[in-house]
């Protein structure tokens, strides 16, 4: 039988339990045969052995043997396995940490604060005998006395004073974690990522975001502007929680609900001949030149215009401008061409342009999300969106719109806009 010493055979040996590093005092380990090991770690059978006379900085000695019976008595690890010192370290941490429960720490802190097992038990609703046993179990697991016991009550030992701070930190961290998770479950905290495709200058979507922000001020809302195909991909990968897109198309692996509709407007220079009209028909736009931007929804507007005007036998001239959405409308004022926008965008006022609705053109908008998404903030967000969609609150949704009434029945839109 070989006597194994960490200070000689594994100088790198160290262990931490509940944040407290054990003393560097040499600790002996014996490698010998055992018939019924209590714990196996990385190919070794490990079990605690009763000891006596250990100092408060020492820990229970651990017997270890190779798992392979042919290697009994061998102090080094089998080929490809961690070293014996590393296995013993893992075993010590696993044995000690698994033996300590939160109630042990709660009883210990209560006894330290009240200076008496009886008073502590009364304060937390536990019998004195049960509290005393649990604290004695804790001392046994840690290998150190935590209290001086005397007729007047109890007082902390030096080890107990050191451990008290750690125990309070653990209980506080667990308590804070439980509060955080509970708050997320109630949607009081969290993050929701929303893909948008239309303007948030006015209309249903900004009103939805405003109401949700007022009800859940501690939930962070991230908005991502992109085209519908990219939004759907991100939803399937759970990178987005929800997205608002045009049309009523059903997307595979996505849930959908129709929420609101917006009229389609043509953007004209203020000196254009059609400004005098309250509404504009497609036949009046057939010979006009148009501009769209390269970024979304530029391509969708391009396809939309082509489809509508091609039905009249005209192929419009549409130029792509490499500018952002905010710079496209000033180009209309410079007579570079006309463009089309949804009703929400008409709240954005630019000098030199006018908005006129296109007769009979209405865009339906839908919300998309994944049924696999369990974000509590998303569930509350969708519930509010559905509620607003059902209520059809025209005052809240269209406060910033022009006085032109929106059609209640959306027309079926081409696939390009869906």
């Amino acid at each position: 039988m070989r006597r194994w010493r960490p200070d000689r055979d594994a100088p790198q040996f160290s262990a931490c339990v509940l944040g407290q590093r054990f003393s560097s005092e040499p600790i002996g380990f014996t490698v010998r045969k055992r018939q019924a090991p209590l714990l196996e770690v990385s190919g070794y059978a490990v079990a605690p052995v009763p000891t006596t006379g250990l100092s408060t900085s020492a820990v229970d000695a651990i017997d270890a043997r190779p798992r392979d019976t042919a290697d009994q008595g061998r102090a080094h690890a089998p080929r490809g396995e961690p070293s014996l010192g590393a296995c013993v370290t893992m075993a010590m941490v696993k044995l000690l940490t698994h033996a300590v429960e939160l109630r042990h720490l709660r009883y210990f802190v209560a006894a330290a604060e009240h200076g008496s097992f009886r008073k502590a038990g009364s304060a937390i609703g536990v019998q004195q005998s049960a509290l005393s046993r649990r604290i004695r179990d804790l001392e046994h697991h840690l290998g150190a006395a935590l209290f001086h016991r005397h007729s007047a009550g109890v007082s902390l030992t030096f080890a107990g004073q050191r451990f008290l701070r750690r125990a309070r930190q653990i209980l506080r961290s667990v308590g804070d974690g439980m509060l955080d998770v509970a708050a997320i479950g109630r949607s009081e905290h969290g993050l929701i990522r929303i893909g948008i495709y239309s303007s948030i200058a006015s209309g249903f979507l900004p009103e939805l975001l405003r109401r949700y922000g007022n009800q859940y001020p501690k939930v962070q809302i991230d908005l991502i502007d992109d085209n519908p195909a990219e939004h759907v991909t991100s939803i399937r990968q759970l990178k987005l929680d929800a997205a608002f897109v045009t049309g009523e198309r059903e997307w595979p692996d996505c849930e959908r609900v129709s929420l609101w509709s917006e009229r389609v407007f043509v953007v004209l220079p203020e000196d254009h001949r059609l400004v005098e009209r309250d509404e504009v028909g497609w036949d009046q736009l057939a010979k006009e030149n148009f501009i769209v931007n390269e970024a979304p929804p530029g391509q969708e507007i391009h396809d939309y215009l082509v489809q509508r005007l091609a039905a009249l036998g005209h192929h419009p001239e549409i130029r792509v401008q490499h500018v952002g959405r905010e710079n496209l409308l000033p180009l209309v004022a410079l007579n570079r061409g006309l463009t089309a926008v949804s009703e929400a965008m008409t709240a954005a006022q630019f000098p030199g342009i006018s908005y006129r609705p296109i007769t009979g053109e209405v865009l339906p908008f839908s919300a998309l999300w994944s049924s696999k998404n369990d974000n509590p903030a998303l569930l509350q967000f969708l519930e509010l969106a559905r509620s607003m969609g059902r209520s059809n609150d025209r005052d809240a949704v269209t406060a910033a719109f022009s006085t032109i009434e929106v059609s209640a029945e959306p027309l079926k839109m081409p696939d390009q806009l869906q």
Side-chain angles (χ1 to χ4, degrees), residues 106-108 110-111 116-118 120-122 124 126-136:
R106 189 163 61 93
Y107 296 170
F108 164 69
S116 166
F117 289 166
R118 179 182 59 82
S122 177
I124 62 177
V126 177
Q127 292 186 355
Q128 176 183 349
S129 58
L131 185 141
S132 179
R133 284 196 304 271
R134 296 296 173 263
I135 291 180
R136 186 175 292 108

Side-chain angles (χ1 to χ4, degrees), residues 23 68 74-75 81 102 128 170 179 195 216 267 274 336 385:
S23 168
D68 186 355
R74 189 175 69 177
E81 297 288 345
L102 285 178
Q128 176 183 349
I170 292 171
L179 291 176
Y216 305 100
V267 186
L274 296 176
R336 299 292 297 275

Side-chain angles (χ1 to χ4, degrees), residues 36-264:
L38 301 182
L39 177 67
E40 291 187 356
V41 179
S42 300
Y44 286 92
V46 184
V49 179
T51 59
T52 58
L54 289 177
S55 66
T56 57
S57 62
V59 296
D60 289 346
I62 295 180
D63 287 343
R65 68 173 176 82
R67 191 171 183 178
D68 186 355
T69 55
D71 292 328
Q72 293 177 6
R74 189 175 69 177
H76 62 278
R79 180 176 300 177
E81 297 288 345
S83 67
L84 180 58
C87 293
V88 171
T89 300
M90 294 164 57
M92 290 177 64
V93 174
K94 189 170 184 178
L95 283 171
L96 296 177
T97 55
H98 281 202
V100 176
E101 302 175 10
L102 285 178
R103 62 174 176 168
H104 291 109
L105 303 183
R106 189 163 61 93
Y107 296 170
F108 164 69
V109 171
E113 292 176 346
H114 289 85
S116 166
F117 289 166
R118 179 182 59 82
K119 293 180 180 179
S122 177
I124 62 177
V126 177
Q127 292 186 355
Q128 176 183 349
S129 58
L131 185 141
S132 179
R133 284 196 304 271
R134 296 296 173 263
I135 291 180
R136 186 175 292 108
D137 291 342
L138 179 61
E139 291 175 323
H140 173 74
H141 293 318
L142 297 179
L146 300 176
F147 290 101
H148 296 297
R149 294 160 173 82
H150 43 75
S151 59
V154 295
S155 59
L156 290 171
T157 63
F158 176 74
Q161 295 173 12
R162 296 288 298 275
F163 188 64
L164 178 61
R165 180 171 61 89
R166 302 286 188 179
R168 282 173 171 163
Q169 289 176 347
I170 292 171
L171 293 176
R172 188 181 303 111
S173 296
V174 172
D176 291 345
M178 293 175 65
L179 291 176
D180 287 344
V181 171
I184 291 174
R186 296 190 299 269
S187 300
E188 295 176 1
H189 298 275
L191 168 67
I192 183 169
R193 298 153 298 183
I194 304 297
I196 60 175
Y197 186 59
S198 65
S199 171
I200 56 173
S202 65
F204 183 97
L205 184 53
E207 178 63 18
L208 171 62
L209 296 174
R210 184 189 66 80
R211 291 191 186 184
Y212 185 81
N214 290 340
Q215 292 186 27
Y216 305 100
K218 294 185 179 180
V219 175
Q220 178 180 336
I221 302 175
D222 286 353
L223 299 179
I224 297 91
D225 199 349
D226 212 331
N227 61 64
E230 293 298 328
H231 285 331
V232 168
T233 298
S234 297
I235 287 174
R236 291 169 179 163
Q237 298 174 352
L238 301 182
K239 295 179 180 179
L240 271 185
D241 293 303
F244 296 99
V245 299
T246 58
E248 296 179 321
R249 169 183 173 181
E250 298 295 339
W251 296 84
D253 302 321
C254 287
E255 303 294 324
R256 187 191 67 82
V257 60
S258 297
L259 292 174
W260 81 96
S261 299
E262 297 179 12
R263 296 191 71 176
V264 180

Side-chain angles (χ1 to χ4, degrees), residues 54 144 215 297 299 312 314:
L54 289 177
Q215 292 186 27
Q299 183 61 47
L312 300 176
H314 296 277

Side-chain angles (χ1 to χ4, degrees), residues 194-400:
I194 304 297
I196 60 175
Y197 186 59
S198 65
S199 171
I200 56 173
S202 65
F204 183 97
L205 184 53
E207 178 63 18
L208 171 62
L209 296 174
R210 184 189 66 80
R211 291 191 186 184
Y212 185 81
N214 290 340
Q215 292 186 27
Y216 305 100
K218 294 185 179 180
V219 175
Q220 178 180 336
I221 302 175
D222 286 353
L223 299 179
I224 297 91
D225 199 349
D226 212 331
N227 61 64
E230 293 298 328
H231 285 331
V232 168
T233 298
S234 297
I235 287 174
R236 291 169 179 163
Q237 298 174 352
L238 301 182
K239 295 179 180 179
L240 271 185
D241 293 303
F244 296 99
V245 299
T246 58
E248 296 179 321
R249 169 183 173 181
E250 298 295 339
W251 296 84
D253 302 321
C254 287
E255 303 294 324
R256 187 191 67 82
V257 60
S258 297
L259 292 174
W260 81 96
S261 299
E262 297 179 12
R263 296 191 71 176
V264 180
F265 283 69
V266 61
V267 186
L268 307 166
E270 62 181 359
D271 57 354
H272 197 278
R273 59 182 176 82
L274 296 176
V275 170
E276 297 178 357
R277 295 181 173 272
D278 293 334
E279 290 188 347
V280 177
W282 285 113
D283 56 335
Q284 297 166 323
L285 298 172
K287 297 181 179 181
E288 299 288 343
N289 296 328
F290 290 87
I291 58 174
V292 297
N293 57 346
E294 184 180 27
Q299 183 61 47
E300 286 69 24
I301 294 176
H302 177 281
D303 297 341
Y304 173 70
L305 292 171
V306 169
Q307 185 182 51
R308 284 294 188 263
L309 294 173
L312 300 176
H314 296 277
H315 187 78
E317 181 179 350
I318 304 175
R319 303 188 187 97
V320 177
Q321 306 294 315
H322 301 279
V323 296
R325 188 182 301 175
E326 69 281 358
N327 287 324
L328 185 66
L329 300 188
L331 291 180
V332 175
L334 298 176
N335 291 301
R336 299 292 297 275
L338 311 185
T339 193
V341 297
S342 65
E343 189 171 6
M345 190 63 187
T346 61
Q349 297 298 319
F350 292 88
I353 65 171
S354 297
Y355 300 98
R356 292 295 181 269
I358 301 176
T359 304
E361 292 297 320
V362 179
L363 279 176
F365 283 82
S366 301
L368 304 176
W369 72 96
S370 171
S371 60
K372 299 178 182 179
N373 193 322
D374 60 354
N375 184 355
L378 171 63
L379 302 181
Q380 299 294 341
F381 186 80
L382 291 174
E383 181 179 348
L384 178 60
R386 287 192 181 101
S387 176
M388 288 180 57
R390 288 191 299 265
S391 66
N392 195 25
D393 187 350
R394 305 303 297 174
D395 292 335
V397 174
T398 62

